[in-house]
């Protein structure tokens, strides 16, 4: 069957084709095209490689350097729509930018090889006009289920709905009471409706939506920052741009941080478009993954909501990308091919010549600079939707509170909590540290249990009665006594969410406390269950980590307490202040979205710290301006460009030695315009039993940096030492450790 987007076959592909394989190899391989096989660029083909068969992609016509006798022939062509040209161009671009072999990038676009085979039809059953000779309760349930459904159902579907065994269904079919038919394996993907008028936009939203629709109508590349305070209804505004894209017959992609891809978000989509969007995330079952992949390639999926890996799906006719929460560090992939999905999404839009929208209440400094330089357009929503007021933000000076060492809530916060709870409102407490206490200390001799594999203390998890290393995942049972002096007086120091939960429960015994962090949401669906408990009023006080900060809507929360702002003020990374400010604003934005105004209390020992001062006095915009000045003065991004070469090895020195050799290589090659800093041990020198070091490359302009990387990295890979250490290059690192 021909795919809808196939074009005339490339005549140059009649004898030889160059094939890219989804493997971390250097480049393409040439294969012979067998007689009678008609190929076009983008076709998925089966080729021999060594003793195995592999599926690759036709990347272009083959060369004629090698004699035909040296080449192997393509075995087969897959029955799937060819990979679109803009995705192939994107893969090449990402490979060039991240200095990775194209095959390593292609692998991210071919994670679902089973989808390259068309799904086979399945046997299904529908009611016939005959009744079975003998009727039983189970048989009656089956007939009821089948008669109530229009489309024929598979045995598994009937068995589940009617609570019967397959034998009952088979018996009915054999007796002629059910007739067997064949049916496509998957039910059709529900199609978004464009004519629902369920949402009324405010005048602000209407004018923002009109400009976004105009960008879509240009059908050309453009980047628009949709900046809106929390609760301003950005989502409904970009839904309008999506509707316009659908009207023009194109597909749309919404990228979200995985954690924000909740039932709540899908329901908002459903309220606007009458059906749930197709979703793409790490918890999809393999059959679902195959179905969605193929439906995206065939153009059946019109709108897809996905985590960052959705960027590599083979959309047949993509016409719009929206990156929501564009500032979120979760868009950075730190394993394998290291890339920033927000930035790569902009590239994909540029190659596909369509618009992209970046949405955030707290845009990244990179995006802000692009707006100021005129490269990006901007639309801002400065008022909350439905007349809700922005919360007031106050600092609570913890020095003045003079709390005992085992108390974490200032009297001012406790009083505010009592007031809110007395009015029947909800309270959210934010602490970005899970577990019970970050340190366990022997009160008699000062012994502190440390992870043997990392330069880190164990975190005490009291519910599970274990010590857990948050850096390598290592755990050990909670020791009953000190390993040094055998004293039983072990003291938890500091607090994580688990301890706050325990304290709050003791302090407010008549109220329900709910903790939301990675420990309490490990089970599939647990986060959604927690979120709906909050919305249904089944919890009064929420204690959680940044999982709580991601775009969720809690109308009854009127008070937010940020328990320890100091954590972010003293972090080593140059992005720490930006992160802290974004987190404070995002958490603060959870409150006062209903009819009651919100209040945010930030506990700190440093109320005069410039970061907090700028935030409290001027808001995020003023803060961002100040931070940009600091970055410019210090020569940090977005005013300079960075790449980080990381290395780690089991021995204490190998990583440093290796990086030292790479430094000499760079000196031999010449690196005008690029400053190399290091090698130095990583800020956490030992992690998971390996010693880590890094070399930072910094350049005022992108071009000399990438010129150096392109000649240097292949030479680095050839170093004998490169095989003895684990190393990776991170272009545009967001963590410099
Ligand atoms: Zn103190
Ligand atoms: Zn001791
Ligand atoms: Zn560890």
């Amino acid at each position: 069957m021909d795919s809808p987007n196939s074009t005339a076959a490339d005549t140059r592909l009649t004898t030889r084709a160059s094939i890219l394989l989804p493997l971390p190899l250097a480049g393409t391989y040439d294969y012979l095209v067998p007689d009678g096989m008609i190929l076009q660029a983008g076709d998925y083909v089966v080729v021999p490689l060594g003793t195995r068969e592999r599926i690759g992609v036709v990347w272009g016509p083959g060369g004629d350097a090698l004699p035909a006798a040296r080449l192997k022939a393509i075995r087969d062509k897959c029955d799937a729509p060819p990979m679109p040209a803009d995705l192939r161009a994107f893969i090449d671009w990402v490979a060039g930018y991240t200095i990775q072999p194209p095959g390593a990038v292609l692998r991210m676009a071919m994670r679902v090889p089973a989808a390259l085979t068309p799904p086979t039809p399945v046997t299904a059953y529908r009611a016939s006009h005959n009744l079975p000779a003998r009727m039983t309760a189970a048989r009656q349930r089956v007939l009821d289920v089948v008669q109530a459904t229009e489309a024929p159902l598979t045995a598994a579907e009937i068995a589940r709905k009617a609570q019967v065994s397959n034998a009952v269904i088979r018996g009915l079919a054999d007796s002629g009471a059910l007739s067997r038919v064949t049916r496509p394996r998957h039910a059709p993907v529900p199609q978004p409706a464009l004519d629902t008028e369920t949402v009324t936009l405010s005048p602000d939203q209407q004018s923002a939506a009109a400009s976004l629709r105009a960008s879509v109508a240009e059908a050309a590349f453009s980047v628009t920052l949709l900046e809106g305070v929390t609760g301003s209804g950005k989502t409904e505004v970009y839904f309008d741009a999506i509707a316009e894209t659908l009207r023009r017959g194109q597909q749309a992609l919404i990228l979200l941080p995985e954690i924000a891809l909740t039932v709540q978000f899908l329901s908002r989509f459903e309220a606007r478009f009458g059906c749930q969007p197709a979703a793409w995330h790490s918890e999809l079952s393999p059959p679902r993954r195959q179905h969605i992949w193929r439906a995206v390639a065939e153009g059946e999926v019109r709108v897809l909501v996905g985590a960052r890996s959705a960027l590599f799906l083979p959309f047949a006719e993509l016409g719009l990308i929206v990156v929501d929460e564009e500032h979120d560090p979760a868009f950075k992939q730190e394993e394998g091919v290291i890339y920033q999905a927000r930035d790569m999404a902009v590239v994909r839009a540029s190659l596909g010549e369509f618009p992209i929208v970046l949405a955030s209440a707290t845009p990244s400094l990179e995006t802000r600079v692009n707006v100021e330089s005129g490269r990006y357009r901007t639309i801002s929503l400065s008022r909350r939707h439905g007349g809700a007021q922005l919360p007031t933000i106050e600092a609570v000076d913890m020095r003045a509170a003079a709390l005992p060492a085992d108390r974490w809530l200032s009297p001012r916060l406790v009083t505010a909590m009592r007031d809110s709870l007395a009015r029947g409102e909800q309270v959210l407490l934010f602490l970005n540290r899970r577990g019970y206490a970050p340190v366990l200390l022997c009160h008699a001799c000062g012994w502190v249990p440390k992870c043997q594999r990392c330069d880190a203390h164990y975190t005490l998890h009291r519910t599970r009665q274990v010590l857990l290393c948050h850096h390598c995942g290592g755990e050990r049972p909670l020791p009953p006594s000190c390993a040094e002096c055998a004293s039983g007086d072990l003291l938890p120091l500091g607090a994580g969410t688990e301890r706050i939960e325990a304290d709050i429960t003791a302090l407010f015994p008549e109220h329900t406390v709910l903790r939301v962090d990675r420990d309490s949401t490990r089970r599939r669906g647990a986060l959604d269950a927690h979120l709906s408990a909050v919305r249904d009023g089944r919890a009064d006080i929420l204690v959680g980590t940044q999982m709580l900060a991601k775009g969720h809507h809690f109308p009854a929360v009127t008070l937010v307490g940020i328990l320890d702002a100091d954590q972010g003020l003293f972090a080593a990374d140059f992005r720490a202040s930006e992160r802290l400010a974004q987190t404070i604003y995002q958490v603060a934005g959870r409150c006062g979205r209903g009819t009651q105004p919100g209040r945010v209390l930030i506990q700190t020992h440093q109320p005069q710290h410039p970061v907090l001062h700028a935030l409290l006095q001027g808001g995020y915009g003023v803060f961002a301006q100040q931070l940009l000045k600091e970055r410019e003065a210090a020569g940090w991004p977005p005013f300079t460009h960075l790449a980080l070469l990381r290395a780690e090895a089991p021995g204490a020195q190998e990583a440093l030695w290796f990086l030292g050799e790479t430094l000499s290589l760079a000196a031999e090659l010449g690196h005008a315009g690029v400053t190399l800093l290091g090698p130095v041990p990583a800020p956490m020198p030992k992690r998971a039993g390996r010693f880590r070091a890094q070399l930072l490359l910094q350049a005022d302009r992108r071009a000399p940096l990438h010129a150096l990387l392109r000649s240097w990295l292949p030479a680095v890979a050839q170093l004998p030492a490169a095989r003895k250490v684990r190393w990776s290059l991170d272009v545009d690192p967001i963590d410099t450790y």
Side-chain angles (χ1 to χ4, degrees):
M1 188 185 78
D2 263 352
S3 62
N5 55 354
S6 65
T7 51
D10 190 327
T11 49
R12 294 171 306 157
L13 280 171
T14 48
T15 53
R16 292 178 179 202
S18 90
I19 307 296
L20 187 62
L21 294 164
L23 301 167
L25 305 170
T28 55
Y29 287 88
D30 281 0
Y31 285 88
L32 297 174
V33 180
D35 284 345
M37 184 181 281
I38 296 171
L39 287 183
Q40 59 173 309
D43 274 334
Y44 298 90
V45 289
V46 180
V47 296
L49 182 77
T51 57
R52 295 191 49 184
E53 285 193 332
R54 288 278 185 177
I55 297 179
V57 177
V58 176
W59 222 245
D64 40 22
L66 287 173
R70 299 264 310 273
L71 297 182
K72 292 178 175 168
I74 293 171
R75 295 259 165 88
D76 201 3
K77 176 177 145 183
C78 302
D79 186 358
M83 180 180 282
D86 64 340
L87 179 53
R88 281 179 281 127
F90 179 60
I91 287 169
D92 280 334
W93 199 97
V94 172
Y97 189 79
T98 57
I99 323 286
Q100 291 285 330
V105 182
L106 175 65
R107 187 156 57 169
M108 300 195 291
M110 288 184 62
R111 281 277 153 77
V112 198
L116 297 171
T117 311
T120 48
V122 289
T123 301
Y125 300 87
R126 63 165 80 241
S128 73
H129 299 294
N130 310 324
L131 281 177
R134 188 175 57 85
M135 185 61 87
T136 64
R139 287 184 159 193
Q140 187 59 55
R141 285 204 303 277
V142 169
L143 293 179
D144 289 346
V145 162
V146 170
Q147 274 153 4
T149 321
E150 239 173 79
L153 298 171
T154 64
E157 288 163 349
I158 297 171
R160 184 162 36 80
K161 288 187 183 181
Q163 297 291 303
V164 298
S165 70
N166 281 355
V168 178
I169 301 162
R170 217 178 310 123
L172 282 170
D174 291 345
S175 74
L178 291 178
S179 48
R180 288 192 175 92
V181 294
T182 55
R183 187 199 83 177
R185 181 166 294 270
H186 305 289
V189 174
Q191 297 297 307
L194 297 176
D195 47 8
T196 55
E197 293 294 342
T198 49
V199 181
T200 330
L201 299 184
S202 70
D204 273 9
Q205 286 177 306
Q206 279 174 23
S207 70
S211 353
L212 280 190
R213 283 198 308 269
S215 292
V216 171
E218 286 169 20
F221 172 62
S222 64
V223 190
T224 305
L225 168 65
L226 176 59
E227 179 176 12
V229 296
T230 51
S232 59
K234 292 183 288 294
T235 312
E236 278 67 28
V237 169
Y238 69 65
F239 279 173
D240 247 38
I242 285 169
E244 183 66 20
T245 307
L246 297 177
R247 270 184 218 110
R248 302 176 57 86
Q250 291 178 304
Q251 294 166 293
L253 165 64
I254 305 171
L255 286 181
L256 280 176
E258 172 124 11
I259 203 85
L261 218 169
T262 55
V263 168
Q264 190 177 6
F265 181 87
L266 301 180
S267 309
R268 280 172 89 177
F269 185 93
E270 188 168 5
R272 173 68 175 77
F273 291 103
C275 70
Q276 298 240 326
W280 186 262
H281 52 80
S282 62
E283 288 192 347
L284 288 186
S285 67
R288 182 75 188 152
R289 197 169 284 274
Q290 283 165 36
H291 178 209
I292 296 294
W293 194 96
R294 192 149 180 120
V296 166
E298 289 175 343
E300 189 188 355
V301 163
R302 304 313 295 171
V303 182
L304 183 106
V305 179
R308 60 181 182 234
S309 61
L311 200 50
F312 291 90
L313 287 174
F315 289 90
E317 41 200 351
L318 190 56
L320 176 71
I321 300 179
V322 175
V323 183
D324 201 353
E325 310 287 349
E326 68 89 29
H327 63 277
D328 200 297
F331 285 118
K332 185 74 190 288
Q333 166 145 315
E334 303 280 12
E335 302 279 312
V337 176
I338 298 172
Y339 68 94
Q340 161 53 280
R342 179 239 300 148
D343 296 346
M344 294 304 110
V346 171
V347 171
R348 180 142 198 205
S350 142
L351 293 169
E353 296 174 10
F354 55 77
I356 176 168
V357 176
L358 309 178
S360 176
T362 52
S364 63
L365 296 186
E366 279 77 3
T367 296
R368 201 168 274 279
V369 162
N370 280 318
V371 166
E372 281 172 13
S373 70
R375 292 184 59 213
Y376 292 3
R377 304 169 184 181
T378 177
I379 298 173
S380 72
L381 294 166
S382 53
R383 274 191 290 268
R384 283 193 151 184
H385 184 60
Q389 295 297 305
L390 281 168
T392 57
I393 305 183
E394 307 153 46
V396 177
D397 188 344
M398 293 301 275
R399 295 166 304 182
L403 294 181
D406 60 347
R407 286 285 171 273
W408 328 101
L409 305 181
S410 59
R412 200 160 134 207
L413 179 56
V414 173
T415 307
M417 288 175 73
R418 289 201 193 288
D419 292 349
S420 293
L421 293 168
R423 289 192 299 265
E425 298 157 6
Q426 289 171 324
V427 174
L428 186 158
L429 299 181
F430 173 82
L431 180 64
N432 213 7
R433 193 191 292 127
R434 64 196 174 92
Y436 187 81
V439 178
L440 189 65
L441 171 81
C442 171
H443 202 44
C445 77
W447 174 74
V448 169
K450 276 192 59 189
C451 176
Q452 298 298 301
R453 309 176 65 221
C454 304
D455 288 315
H457 301 307
Y458 276 117
T459 297
L460 167 63
H461 285 246
R462 206 176 63 168
T463 318
R464 290 179 54 208
Q465 288 288 299
V466 291
L467 294 175
L468 200 66
C469 174
H470 285 185
H471 302 280
C472 70
E475 68 172 72
R476 53 184 271 195
L478 192 57
S481 57
C482 174
E484 296 283 326
C485 75
S487 157
D489 195 3
L490 296 179
L491 199 68
L493 280 192
T497 45
E498 209 183 295
R499 187 169 201 174
I500 298 297
E501 179 191 25
D503 284 10
I504 298 288
T505 308
L507 204 56
F508 297 93
E510 69 283 18
H511 291 286
T512 316
V513 182
L514 181 68
R515 174 164 58 88
V516 179
D517 57 24
R518 228 163 76 208
D519 298 315
S520 76
T521 55
R522 214 167 283 277
R523 212 167 29 80
R524 180 185 291 212
L527 177 60
D528 280 321
H530 282 333
L531 295 179
S532 63
V534 177
R535 279 194 308 280
D536 300 349
R538 279 178 282 136
D540 304 313
I541 306 171
L542 285 158
V543 179
T545 58
Q546 56 180 352
M547 288 187 96
L548 278 179
K550 310 261 169 151
H552 313 306
H553 191 65
F554 305 128
V557 169
T558 56
L559 175 68
V560 165
I562 293 172
L563 298 187
D564 184 7
D566 301 348
Q567 244 182 317
L569 292 176
F570 303 105
D573 195 77
F574 75 92
R575 284 182 211 268
S577 324
E578 181 184 1
R579 291 277 175 72
L580 174 69
Q582 285 164 345
T583 303
I584 289 178
Y585 257 68
Q586 294 287 335
V587 178
R590 296 315 108 214
C591 84
R593 286 175 166 221
T595 47
Q596 297 303 312
R599 184 179 180 200
V600 181
L601 295 178
I602 302 178
Q603 299 194 149
T604 175
H605 289 83
Q606 303 266 326
Q608 291 310 313
H609 192 287
V611 170
L612 284 180
H613 195 75
L615 261 180
L616 293 173
Q617 298 308 312
Y620 185 79
V622 171
F623 161 79
Q625 288 308 325
Q626 180 182 322
L627 202 53
L628 276 173
K629 284 200 199 95
E630 285 173 25
R631 293 263 187 98
E632 190 163 21
W636 285 118
F639 299 98
T640 58
H641 306 279
L642 302 181
L644 192 65
L645 187 63
R646 295 189 179 91
E648 54 177 61
Q653 298 301 323
E654 283 99 322
L656 282 167
W657 288 335
F658 163 71
L659 292 177
E661 288 183 38
T662 68
L663 185 63
S664 314
L665 264 182
E668 283 168 33
L669 290 167
H671 53 83
V674 183
T675 310
L676 287 91
L677 302 161
V680 292
M684 181 181 287
K686 189 180 167 202
R687 190 158 91 187
R690 303 176 76 89
F691 291 88
R692 310 155 70 229
Q694 60 191 34
L695 178 66
L696 184 66
L697 290 78
Q698 188 176 32
D700 288 344
R701 290 184 312 114
R702 170 82 60 199
L705 176 62
H706 264 81
L708 172 64
L709 293 178
R710 274 192 296 272
S711 57
W712 182 54
L713 252 269
V716 165
Q718 295 302 315
L719 288 173
R723 287 192 297 274
K724 297 182 188 129
V725 301
R726 205 184 278 167
W727 60 276
S728 62
L729 178 76
D730 185 352
V731 177
D732 305 332
I734 59 167
D735 286 317
T736 46
Y737 57 90

